[in-house]
Every structure is written in C-alpha cells, then in structure tokens.
C-alpha cells in the first residue's frame, strides 16, 4: 500500500482523438501542440500550482507516446489501458486499488482552461470536512450549448439531463475537473466504466456530489475538435501576449494571429492570417491562408468564432 499526504492528480489522456483525424493519426490528442506546448504539459503546469501533488495520466491510443511524455514531464506514473480502455470511472478505481491515498483530482487531457485549481481543491476539502459533507466535488462552467447538469438549492448535483435525476435546478456544464476523497473512491465499483453511474449511485444513497459554481465564466475550451483547437490556440497566444508564433526559420512571409510549427516550408510571399500550420502543411508561393488549420494531407476551414 502506498500511503502519502500528497494530492494525486489524474489527467485523462486515453481518448482516441477521432474528431482531429488525420492530425491525430500519428500523435495522441493530449500531445497535439497548442502553440508552444501540449495540453498534457499545460494541464500538468496548472496542477503543479496547487502545491504538493503526485501527477498521473492514463493512456490507451498511441500509449507509448504518452508514457514517454509523462517521463519527460515528471509524472509519477502513466497508467496504460490495454487492450481495453477503462472509461471515466475505471482509471480512478485503478489508482485507488493500487494503494494511492490523499484524494484524487481529475483533469481532462483535451481542455484548455484557466481554472483556479487550488481554490477548487481548498473548497472541496473544507466541505468534505463538515459533518455529512460531500466527498465528491465537480467544477462547473456555464456553457449553454451543453449545460446538462442540474444543481439543487443545496449546491449539490440533482441530475444530468437525459441520464438520471431531476431536470429542475440551476443549469451548468461539467468542466471535466473533479475531486474525490479516498472514501468516495473506495465506493466506485470494480469494473465501473461511466463515472456518471457512480454519481447516480451517490445521489441515490443521499451523498450527492457538490457542484462548485464559483468559476462558471472561466476560460474553458474543448480542444478536441478543429474549432476548439483553433480557439485554444488563439487563447494561448493571448495568454502569451504574442500576435503570432513562428517555430520555423522563415520570417519573410506576412503573419497575423497565426501559429506556424517547425517542419513547414514557408514561401517568402505567403500570407498567413488566423491560421495554424502543422508539420507537413504545404504552402504555395503568394498563397493567402486565412481561417484554416492545415497539416499533412488535410485542410480545415475554421471560422473565427470562439467556442468558449
């Protein structure tokens, strides 16, 4: 058994990345560059700001790459899921069963965000310490396209529209960030796949998860689609305070709000505007590229409409 006082952090990184094919044919979605770093790297940086943590990730698709990245980034362990993926509940119970203690913070490996994770964990721990306090906390955002959460007057999860529970209450969207006490983790059934089934069981037992609504309007972008990837890259450039990011040796072309990665050959007279060029992208002389993500064998037209 591994007893420790560190908070364990699990970044879910086992997805197949189907919405970003063929970009993700050769690289797993959590390692797709968002300007200067992968989402896995950026999420790890945010997690470390909490303080005393142990970093974990799970991996399935192109798992060897995630394992290698985890070693480079100083992860405690990357938990490979083969031959079958374990869903959203299985990875949590696996870490608990291996003896890790100290609570578990879950983050997504495909979300660009600026949450105050330290404040979220602090609030979750304070509530859990109260008599009959919630042992699970879920961080919510306001995303009207989804907003399937229904939150009761007591601040606890009342239901998920189309899945279970009440359809009355305050609407919100699950951000993918959550916290589980060791006690809660012990109650996840071995072989459980969908974490929503666990939430349903907790509600039925009178232990509904707490929904933290204090960061509803924080930046939260699902970068797992072309539109989301574009928005995440634009937001990252804003965060870095740069108008363009050029990782090539070419500086003669006109660049406006764009990302050009190493491995792209840039003609001197090309114009790149609000676009992302990944290795393998072909750019012609005098070409104007606008509102596009381009890479090896693909071009996606992505209008400049934010998705967050």
């Amino acid at each position: 058994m591994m007893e420790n006082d560190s908070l364990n952090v699990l970044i879910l990184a086992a997805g197949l990345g189907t919405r970003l094919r063929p970009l993700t044919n050769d690289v797993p979605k959590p390692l797709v560059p968002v300007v200067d770093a992968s989402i896995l790297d950026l999420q790890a940086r945010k997690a470390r700001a909490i303080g005393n943590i142990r970093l974990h990730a799970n991996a399935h698709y192109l798992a060897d790459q995630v394992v290698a990245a985890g070693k480079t980034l100083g992860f405690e362990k990357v938990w490979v899921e083969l031959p079958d993926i374990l869903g959203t509940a299985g990875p949590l119970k696996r870490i608990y069963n291996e003896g890790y203690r100290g609570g578990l913070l879950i983050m997504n490996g495909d979300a660009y965000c600026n949450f105050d994770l330290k404040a979220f964990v602090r609030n979750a721990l304070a509530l859990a310490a109260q008599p009959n306090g919630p042992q699970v906390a879920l961080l919510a955002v306001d995303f009207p396209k989804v907003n399937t959460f229904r939150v009761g007057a007591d601040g606890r999860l009342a239901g998920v529209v189309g899945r279970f529970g009440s359809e009355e209450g305050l609407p919100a969207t699950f951000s993918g960030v959550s916290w589980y006490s060791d006690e809660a983790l012990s109650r996840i059934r071995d072989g459980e796949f969908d974490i929503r089934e666990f939430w349903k069981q907790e509600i039925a037992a009178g232990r509904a998860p707490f929904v933290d609504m204090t960061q509803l309007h924080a930046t939260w972008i699902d970068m797992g689609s072309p539109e989301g990837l574009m928005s995440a890259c634009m937001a990252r450039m804003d965060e870095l305070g740069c108008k363009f990011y050029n990782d090539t040796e070419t500086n003669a072309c006109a660049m406006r709000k764009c990302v050009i990665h190493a491995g792209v050959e840039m003609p001197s007279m090309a114009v790149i505007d609000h676009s992302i060029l990944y290795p393998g992208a072909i750019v012609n002389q005098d070409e104007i590229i606008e509102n596009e993500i381009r890479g090896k064998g693909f071009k996606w037209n992505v209008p400049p409409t934010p998705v967050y």
Side-chain angles (χ1 to χ4, degrees), residues 1-301:
M1 297 293 287
M2 181 174 294
E3 301 289 346
N4 64 81
D5 295 325
S6 301
L7 172 69
N8 294 289
V9 178
L10 172 63
I11 301 176
L12 299 176
L16 301 178
T18 53
R19 292 177 295 164
L20 288 179
R21 300 283 175 87
L23 177 59
T24 51
N25 280 349
D26 301 315
V27 61
K29 179 172 57 176
L31 299 185
V32 169
V34 177
V35 186
D36 62 324
S38 69
I39 284 290
L40 188 68
D41 185 358
L42 295 173
Q43 293 289 65
R45 296 181 200 182
K46 289 177 172 60
R48 286 196 176 94
I50 297 172
N52 188 20
I53 66 165
R54 291 176 181 264
L55 272 173
H56 306 256
N58 67 336
H60 174 74
Y61 176 65
L62 299 176
D64 289 349
Q65 293 187 40
V66 181
V67 170
K71 291 179 179 178
T72 300
L73 296 171
F75 277 56
E76 171 85 6
K77 186 171 182 177
V78 174
W79 302 77
V80 176
E81 300 176 7
L82 291 174
D84 299 319
I85 198 167
L86 300 180
T88 52
L92 284 63
K93 191 57 181 285
R94 186 181 186 184
I95 287 178
Y96 178 83
N97 285 344
E98 287 296 320
Y100 284 90
R101 300 293 183 267
L104 184 61
L105 177 72
I106 307 299
M107 303 171 68
N108 276 351
D110 60 1
Y112 181 88
C113 54
N114 65 352
F115 297 127
D116 185 341
L117 297 175
K118 192 170 186 177
F120 169 68
V121 173
R122 183 173 60 245
N123 292 341
L125 289 171
L127 287 169
Q130 297 176 5
N132 300 315
Q135 300 300 307
V136 177
L138 312 172
L139 186 60
V141 293
D142 181 23
F143 194 63
K145 288 184 178 180
V146 181
N147 277 358
T148 55
F149 267 16
R150 292 297 180 265
V151 184
D154 59 356
R156 298 206 184 199
L157 185 65
V160 176
V161 174
R163 295 285 303 194
F164 61 83
S166 174
E167 296 197 3
E168 301 295 327
L170 294 174
T173 292
F174 179 44
S175 70
V177 175
S178 53
W179 171 85
Y180 295 79
S181 71
D182 294 336
E183 180 182 338
L185 293 171
S186 71
R187 293 195 295 267
I188 298 177
R189 299 170 181 169
D190 288 331
E192 191 83 82
F193 187 86
D194 190 336
I195 196 63
R196 291 171 296 186
E197 288 301 308
F198 175 67
W199 299 344
K200 179 181 177 181
Q201 296 160 23
E202 291 292 280
I203 291 174
R207 298 186 296 260
F210 168 70
V211 181
D212 188 328
M213 306 272 280
T214 63
Q215 302 186 51
L216 284 177
H217 303 293
T219 297
W220 175 76
I221 303 169
D222 172 5
M223 53 72 64
S225 67
E227 296 78 13
L229 179 58
M230 177 71 83
S231 288
C233 287
M234 296 301 113
R236 178 61 179 166
M237 281 197 288
D238 288 342
E239 184 179 350
L240 293 171
C242 62
K243 294 182 179 179
F244 62 86
Y245 179 85
N246 182 13
D247 199 24
T248 73
E249 296 180 356
T250 302
N251 293 304
C253 64
M255 295 175 285
R256 297 189 290 267
K257 201 67 174 180
C258 64
V259 180
I260 304 174
H261 289 284
V264 179
E265 294 187 9
M266 293 300 304
S268 60
M269 299 302 292
V271 176
I272 315 299
D273 187 9
H274 194 268
S275 296
I276 308 168
L277 303 183
Y278 285 103
I282 297 175
V283 182
N284 298 316
Q285 186 72 26
D286 299 325
E287 185 174 12
I288 298 174
I289 300 176
E290 185 177 14
N291 301 328
E292 189 176 294
I293 300 177
R294 183 178 295 192
K296 182 180 179 181
F298 71 92
K299 299 178 183 179
W300 296 326
N301 181 258

